[in-house]
Amino acid sequence: MILELRLSNLFSLRDEMSLDLQAAKIQTQKGRSLEGNIFSVGGERLLKSIAVFGANASGKSNVIKAIRACIEMIRSSHNYNEDTKFGFVPFKFDGYDQKPSSFYVRFLMDDIEYEYSFTMTQQEILTEQLYYYPNGRKSLVFSRDESKGPEKKDIYEFKLVLKRPMDVAANTSRKTLFISRASQMDRDLAKQVFRFFCDEVVLDYHLPESNSVEQMLNLQKDQLLEVLSTADSDIVDIRMQGNAIKTYHRNNETVPFDFETEESEGTKTLFRMMLSMIEIIRGGRLLIVDEIDTSLHTQLVEFIIGMFNASEHAQLIYTTHNTHLLNTDFQRRDQVYFVNKREDGSSDLYSLFDFKDFRDTFDMEKAYLQGRFDAIPYLSKPTI
């Protein structure tokens, strides 16, 4: 489970921004009625979902892009070659293209808290650290500072957690994260951390493998058909035929339709989302989605988000334009974030919970559209 994410100098995110998935102390009646949107683990109370709202070009998609770029580095940097350029760009103004970018994450793994971070340019890793709290006290696993080089013994500091860590350091280039290389070289704790970011963090929904689809259809077909019916679909059955998905419609329940070529984009999007999200929710993972409301009706988006809020301990971070989701009957104030574009081109991320004068009884959508939280486009009247 993710507790907190911090990012800086990635795309339009110039200054350090934070997404905090730890639940705030909300003592109002409305807040208490939404306790189901929270779960407890390892002594922490965590949010099951976070929404990021903002105008077009405000930078809300850059929040998702930045998180994905950093997670992809953890997953893949052990395969990077000397000519690899990392998958992000720094903020381009005011000299920030010459400054380092950073990523920081706090997470729980087997009820133990970890802190992992690194700084980088587009060409190389500059620093990297991993701490954990095995007995509730912060302890260093390793730290890395390339400015202390060139000798590896000066660059790295280790505690007695990883076996033969200097062997890993000797095989870690400035293109590679140590945690990725250590996992590749079969170091136990590093493998656990690496698997956490590979298995527990899902960067987008996807259509599972065909054997998994068939298994999930056997387990969840009724729920899938109910959701499709809510979407005003006339699909009454879904079956696997070989590796192909076939759908059957109310007009003639004996005639199969090929899912990939004969169903609408909206139906295919919804089906993929539902299969993927059911799998993610059953596994208690974190899903990161940009523009969750693309091609979907408001009620379906609410249904999908509600699935996470009703889960045991799955988590969801998503961006959206859908102002109808700004509803205090649906989500808590600490589950709502806004992105606003500053005059200098950088993006500012902040939580609704920061607005201490905003009460749960207020109309959140109306206040947002009136510009109370910024993060909306300001348009002049059209002329002909």
Side-chain angles (χ1 to χ4, degrees):
M1 297 86 177
I2 298 292
L3 281 71
E4 183 185 11
L5 290 159
R6 298 182 202 162
L7 304 141
S8 71
N9 201 24
L10 293 158
F11 305 106
S12 63
L13 311 176
R14 184 192 65 190
D15 302 324
E16 184 177 80
M17 53 134 275
S18 173
L19 279 175
D20 192 348
L21 284 92
Q22 296 177 105
K25 293 182 179 179
I26 299 177
Q27 303 297 333
T28 63
Q29 181 178 352
K30 186 70 69 69
R32 290 193 296 271
S33 71
L34 294 172
E35 280 291 307
N37 294 9
I38 298 170
F39 66 99
S40 297
V41 61
E44 299 283 354
R45 297 173 72 250
L46 302 180
L47 299 170
K48 295 178 182 177
S49 66
I50 279 184
V52 180
F53 293 84
N56 289 327
S58 63
K60 64 181 183 300
S61 290
N62 284 338
V63 175
I64 302 299
K65 284 173 61 179
I67 296 171
R68 287 175 175 167
C70 294
I71 299 296
E72 284 291 356
M73 284 189 63
I74 298 170
R75 295 177 175 182
S76 305
S77 69
H78 56 282
N79 295 319
Y80 288 173
N81 296 318
E82 192 60 32
D83 61 348
T84 298
K85 191 174 182 179
F86 300 155
F88 75 95
V89 292
F91 187 68
K92 291 192 172 184
F93 306 126
D94 302 325
Y96 276 82
D97 56 332
Q98 303 300 315
K99 295 182 179 181
S101 304
S102 69
F103 173 76
Y104 167 94
V105 57
R106 285 196 302 128
F107 61 99
L108 288 173
M109 186 172 65
D110 297 327
D111 291 344
I112 296 175
E113 183 176 335
Y114 291 79
E115 294 180 13
Y116 176 64
S117 62
F118 54 87
T119 62
M120 62 206 162
T121 66
Q122 281 190 285
Q123 289 77 33
E124 61 183 4
I125 307 298
L126 302 178
T127 66
E128 186 180 3
Q129 297 87 28
L130 177 65
Y131 293 89
Y132 75 143
Y133 295 75
N135 300 301
R137 298 177 63 182
K138 187 174 183 178
S139 179
L140 175 71
V141 177
F142 75 88
S143 67
R144 167 189 186 183
D145 186 343
E146 293 288 346
S147 69
K148 296 180 179 179
E151 298 296 326
K152 298 287 187 178
K153 63 180 178 62
D154 299 320
I155 294 171
Y156 287 90
E157 178 184 357
F158 300 99
K159 296 299 182 183
L160 300 178
V161 179
L162 299 171
K163 63 181 180 180
R164 302 192 308 279
M166 287 306 299
D167 290 353
V168 178
N171 287 278
T172 303
S173 75
R174 296 182 73 153
K175 291 284 186 182
T176 305
L177 291 168
F178 178 87
I179 201 71
S180 304
R181 181 68 74 209
S183 173
Q184 186 187 47
M185 294 179 68
D186 204 32
R187 301 309 193 259
D188 287 341
L189 181 58
K191 284 198 299 183
Q192 293 173 32
V193 172
F194 182 81
R195 286 173 182 162
F196 175 87
F197 288 107
C198 289
D199 299 340
E200 301 303 317
V201 181
V202 183
L203 300 184
D204 205 351
Y205 60 86
H206 60 281
L207 187 61
E209 298 295 330
S210 58
N211 60 340
S212 177
V213 171
E214 185 170 15
Q215 182 182 24
M216 293 177 70
L217 282 177
N218 291 334
L219 294 172
Q220 305 290 339
K221 181 186 289 190
D222 290 344
Q223 187 175 20
L224 285 166
L225 291 173
E226 178 185 355
V227 173
L228 291 172
S229 175
T230 302
D232 202 24
S233 165
D234 63 352
I235 295 174
V236 295
D237 199 6
I238 308 170
R239 303 176 197 168
M240 291 295 300
Q241 293 183 7
N243 291 326
I245 303 171
K246 300 295 182 180
T247 56
Y248 296 81
H249 293 248
R250 184 173 294 109
N251 290 344
N252 190 329
E253 298 182 15
T254 64
V255 178
F257 284 70
D258 182 74
F259 174 79
E260 288 295 339
T261 62
E262 296 184 292
E263 293 296 347
S264 70
E265 290 303 315
T267 296
K268 288 190 288 186
T269 297
L270 178 60
F271 183 80
R272 290 189 180 97
M273 288 181 75
M274 289 304 301
L275 279 180
S276 182
M277 289 181 185
I278 289 171
E279 186 178 49
I280 291 164
I281 289 168
R282 286 164 61 92
R285 301 182 180 97
L286 165 70
L287 173 63
I288 301 170
V289 179
D290 189 24
E291 304 290 4
I292 195 172
D293 46 345
T294 300
S295 302
L296 296 177
H297 189 274
T298 298
Q299 289 180 326
L300 288 172
V301 176
E302 290 183 3
F303 182 87
I304 290 167
I305 298 167
M307 288 174 58
F308 279 86
N309 287 337
S311 71
E312 185 176 345
H313 55 259
Q315 292 178 294
L316 172 67
I317 297 174
Y318 65 96
T319 69
T320 179
H321 287 289
N322 190 341
T323 62
H324 293 296
L325 297 175
L326 286 167
N327 185 337
T328 54
D329 293 326
F330 178 68
Q331 54 192 344
R332 294 158 46 101
R333 286 179 291 137
D334 54 352
Q335 291 182 277
V336 175
Y337 279 75
F338 301 109
V339 176
N340 190 44
K341 179 65 69 71
R342 301 186 181 107
E343 290 186 3
D344 60 13
S346 65
S347 298
D348 186 22
L349 179 76
Y350 45 93
S351 170
L352 175 61
F353 188 74
D354 295 335
F355 291 82
K356 301 303 181 183
D357 60 338
F358 183 83
R359 300 179 182 178
D360 291 343
T361 55
F362 294 170
D363 187 325
M364 193 192 310
E365 181 183 14
K366 181 178 179 180
Y368 172 74
L369 293 174
Q370 289 176 340
R372 180 165 182 174
F373 314 122
D374 290 328
I376 61 170
Y378 292 95
L379 305 176
S380 59
K381 292 183 178 180
T383 58
I384 300 176

